[in-house]
Amino acid sequence: MRLRALLETDALGLRLLGDDEELDRTVRGVMTTDLRDPSRYLTGGELVLTGLAWHRDATDSEPFVRILSGAGVAGLAAGEAELGAIPDDLVEACRHHRLPLFAVHETVAFATITEHVVRQVSGERAGDLAAVVDRHRRLMTSGPAGGGPEVVLDLLGSDLDLHAWVLSPTGRQIAGAGAPLPGPLGAELAGLHLAAVRSGRRAPHRATIGGVTYSLFPIRNNGRGAVPASRDVRESVLSDWLLAVEADAGDWPAARLDLLQGVTQLIAVERDRRDAARTVRRRLAQEVLELVQAGAPPAEIAARLRVAAPVLLPGLGTAPHWQVVVARVEWDEDGAPGGSGIAGGPVAQALLEEILVDPAVTGPDSADRIAVAHTGDEAIALVPLPAAPAPPADADDGAANDAGADDPALHADALLAAVRTPLSAGLADDGRLTLGVSASVHSPEGLRGALEEARHARRVAAARPGRVCAAGHHELASHVLLLPFVPDDVRRAFTARLLDPLRDYDRRHRAELIPTLESFLDCDGSWTRCAARLHLHVNTLRYRVGRIEQLTGRDLSRLEDKLDFFLALRMS
């Protein structure tokens, strides 16, 4: 059962002292003590009841709470009968150690709380517990080699009636038993899981979506590339899988929780196997990119591509076109980008391998087109493209446009459309992902230019606001190519000079001059189209534009002034 359920039971007379962030902790038992050091009697998961007889002065609270927190207790309930109000130093110590603290009304006996907890915790069916223990033993001997994660998830469904799915950090379904999880739901669950991991909350994490409760268990990478538990969580948060179970694990006994931990360990073995299978593709990408960056002769690069193409596009023989995608993950330390000391290359490599998977494809081996290397703090993907289907010779323009919709080339915005929300949760407020996509090239001679193009597009993306940003090759032929190279102080001065008078006026009068200016420029200065878009009378629009010109001293009928406003809006 969960602490939240105890708080919601009026008969227990509990009052929460502090915030409710830790109320989803699981209670597995109860203990009453007034010892100054009860650690020898604690096993973890208890609700500790105390009458505060151990409390003599303000210095006693910190060591007592530290002992409870170190033992992994679920919460502390202090009676008001002895001292009246709960001491402030105890409240502060519990807040510091993130230990939920409750006050017990003086009219409620500790025996009442104890009986309630024992009755709830021991309420699981004895037969179900026996089945859990037996199934745990079978799972640990079967292993994923007998059919992958689906075998494990099928056993959970058949024996414990638990519906579960293995999800990637972006919410893509890797394995599942029964009906597939809808893509948007998977992305939302992944985002909630990543946010919980970044906040430091203990797993399993609880999520309720559409009235359905899910428990989210992290699946740690146990292979050679695994991040030690003592290392920064940011090194693995964007690459670890998760197990989503349609149930509230807060009410489970320890045996069932142990079973699910065993399941995640088995699935981690499958993850290690998948990573080992990617080694060949990673090595191929590394070899090709080293040749490209070293300026090797095109014939040598072409020979290496002929080796790579059958591995990445089985059955095709050679790839008629290639694209390059560059990604970079950066973490802030005290507001300084890149100062965290975390190696960004491996993180970006694992993330780019996930992003480049077709979101409509499920399964752990669906990334067989992806070859990603990493160098320094960036990851570089070499993506082979099959030939796009040509329209029939007698096709009209409409048919030709439909054929263009089947173009297999990657597009920057489309790559991030489905993954932006969950990845933003994993990046939290101190991480950034920027990504650049090159145009497709059809010869080894073009790969070096494609690599530089992708890197340049990534720098354009890095100049934009937001935690997850991308740019494509088509943007390098427009004004956005110049914006990343404008110094920050010049940007601020330029935009402030033009836009601050309008912002100040909007704050005082709610005149919406900035939205009006954006729409007017987007409509190419057309009064009628802009008025229709803003649902305004043309005269009202003319009044607003006149006010903009009056406040800034500019003339929106002049091309130069329109261009200045346009660039100021893009840089703001």
Side-chain angles (χ1 to χ4, degrees), residues 161-203:
D161 196 28
L162 291 175
H163 302 290
W165 302 265
V166 178
L167 303 178
S168 76
T170 65
R172 180 177 60 87
Q173 180 174 318
I174 294 168
L181 204 63
L185 177 57
E188 188 171 359
L189 288 173
L192 293 171
H193 171 74
L194 291 173
V197 171
R198 288 302 314 275
S199 70
R201 300 209 308 269
R202 294 191 301 179

Side-chain angles (χ1 to χ4, degrees), residues 482-551:
L482 304 175
L483 297 185
F485 307 102
V486 178
D488 288 342
D489 54 346
V490 176
R491 284 167 173 263
R492 286 190 291 268
F494 181 73
T495 57
R497 191 176 300 114
L498 275 176
L499 301 183
D500 280 2
L502 306 183
R503 290 173 177 143
D504 292 342
Y505 192 87
D506 280 348
R507 277 194 294 269
R508 294 195 308 269
H509 303 284
R510 298 182 182 179
E512 298 187 358
L513 296 185
I514 291 289
T516 300
L517 175 61
E518 290 174 335
S519 182
F520 185 73
L521 295 175
D522 194 42
C523 292
D524 298 322
S526 169
W527 297 99
T528 54
R529 280 196 291 131
C530 183
R533 175 181 292 189
L534 295 175
H535 305 290
L536 298 174
H537 191 278
V538 172
N539 289 342
T540 303
L541 175 61
R542 291 185 183 276
Y543 171 80
R544 288 188 183 180
V545 170
R547 178 64 66 182
I548 291 171
E549 294 174 334
Q550 180 185 23
L551 290 170

Side-chain angles (χ1 to χ4, degrees), residues 200-253:
R201 300 209 308 269
R202 294 191 301 179
H205 310 301
R206 182 173 181 267
T208 301
I209 301 175
V212 180
T213 299
Y214 301 87
S215 295
L216 310 175
F217 296 80
I219 299 173
R220 306 296 184 194
N221 182 6
N222 297 321
R224 269 185 280 177
V227 176
S230 60
R231 298 283 294 279
D232 196 315
V233 69
R234 292 175 293 182
E235 296 189 48
S236 61
V237 67
L238 296 177
S239 58
D240 284 343
W241 290 355
L242 68 132
L243 177 68
V245 182
E246 189 179 319
D248 187 349
D251 297 329
W252 289 358

Side-chain angles (χ1 to χ4, degrees), residues 292-525:
V292 170
Q293 295 186 101
E300 187 176 353
I301 299 175
R304 181 55 56 187
L305 289 176
R306 283 195 295 272
V307 174
V311 176
L312 303 178
L313 285 177
L316 187 64
T318 59
H321 296 91
W322 298 86
Q323 269 183 290
V324 176
V325 182
V326 172
R328 192 180 184 100
V329 174
E330 297 175 292
W331 304 99
D332 297 346
E333 189 71 23
D334 297 329
S340 64
I342 299 174
V347 178
Q349 180 184 44
L351 194 53
L352 190 51
E353 286 174 335
E354 171 60 29
I355 290 172
L356 292 175
V357 177
D358 184 346
V361 178
T362 61
D365 296 318
S366 58
D368 57 2
R369 284 180 55 204
I370 299 163
V372 184
H374 74 81
T375 174
D377 285 334
E378 70 178 6
I380 305 169
L382 189 65
V383 183
L385 302 175
D394 57 349
D396 57 19
D397 290 341
N401 289 336
D402 292 340
D406 296 328
D407 180 7
L410 303 175
H411 299 278
D413 291 337
L415 283 177
L416 296 182
V419 302
R420 180 173 275 108
T421 298
L423 292 185
S424 295
L427 293 164
D429 58 356
D430 60 352
R432 284 203 81 201
L433 165 67
T434 52
L435 185 146
V437 182
S438 77
S440 60
V441 295
H442 64 277
S443 67
E445 293 88 344
L447 277 180
R448 184 175 181 84
L451 175 59
E452 291 306 316
E453 191 173 55
R455 282 175 168 162
H456 210 85
R458 192 208 64 78
R459 287 193 289 270
V460 169
R464 295 173 174 168
R467 290 291 165 188
V468 181
C469 298
H473 61 92
H474 61 282
E475 298 180 71
L476 303 185
S478 74
H479 66 279
V480 298
L481 175 62
L482 304 175
L483 297 185
F485 307 102
V486 178
D488 288 342
D489 54 346
V490 176
R491 284 167 173 263
R492 286 190 291 268
F494 181 73
T495 57
R497 191 176 300 114
L498 275 176
L499 301 183
D500 280 2
L502 306 183
R503 290 173 177 143
D504 292 342
Y505 192 87
D506 280 348
R507 277 194 294 269
R508 294 195 308 269
H509 303 284
R510 298 182 182 179
E512 298 187 358
L513 296 185
I514 291 289
T516 300
L517 175 61
E518 290 174 335
S519 182
F520 185 73
L521 295 175
D522 194 42
C523 292
D524 298 322

Side-chain angles (χ1 to χ4, degrees), residues 276-297:
R278 282 188 172 178
T279 301
V280 174
R281 296 193 293 274
R282 288 173 173 175
R283 187 181 301 119
L284 285 171
Q286 193 74 44
E287 292 174 353
V288 172
L289 290 168
E290 286 176 358
L291 291 173
V292 170
Q293 295 186 101

